[in-house]
Amino acid sequence: TAKQPLEGATPYDITSYAGALRYSIEKLRAAFPRAEIVLLSQTYRFWRRDGVVTSDSNTRELCGVRLTDFVKKTREVAAEYGLFYIDNYSGSGMDEKNRDICFSDTDSTHPLVPGLKLIAKNVSKELIKRFG
């Protein structure tokens, strides 16, 4: 089992986030050796209780880590493999200032159309920079 959610006992420990990501990259590279793999970070999210925001991904820890730790780990694994990385956490513009238009009143994980548009704008901008 993983020592913690981010890194396991070995680099390919699939019970950890980084191990599962590395394993996936290795499998994709083996199956599609000429494919360009692009890693996208997680996006901002928050938690509500009884309609009141109680925490967000900048502050809330689950199993001893924050969502921002997963963002950082995704960037690190992308660098390990020389993969193109797109930061949707910081780059999309979704945050505590616009969360009320990016998410519904009942789901603070899956963005609504305005949030999806912010993500799409960021991804397309970064892909154009990379691939022209």
Side-chain angles (χ1 to χ4, degrees), residues 47-67:
W47 289 262
R48 284 190 178 119
R49 175 169 278 171
D50 300 323
V52 176
V53 174
T54 58
S55 60
D56 71 6
S57 47
N58 293 316
T59 59
R60 184 171 185 161
E61 286 190 8
L62 299 169
C63 300
V65 294
R66 295 181 181 158
L67 184 61

Side-chain angles (χ1 to χ4, degrees), residues 1-17 19-20:
T1 62
K3 290 185 204 173
Q4 61 150 320
L6 288 178
E7 285 287 352
T10 68
Y12 297 98
D13 180 347
I14 62 170
T15 64
S16 71
Y17 174 74

Side-chain angles (χ1 to χ4, degrees), residues 7-56:
E7 285 287 352
T10 68
Y12 297 98
D13 180 347
I14 62 170
T15 64
S16 71
Y17 174 74
L21 186 55
R22 289 182 188 103
Y23 177 84
S24 299
I25 292 166
E26 295 284 338
K27 289 292 187 180
L28 283 168
R29 281 190 162 170
F32 307 100
R34 295 177 55 204
E36 178 86 27
I37 299 171
V38 178
L39 294 186
L40 282 67
S41 78
Q42 300 77 3
T43 60
Y44 173 84
R45 69 159 301 193
F46 62 101
W47 289 262
R48 284 190 178 119
R49 175 169 278 171
D50 300 323
V52 176
V53 174
T54 58
S55 60
D56 71 6

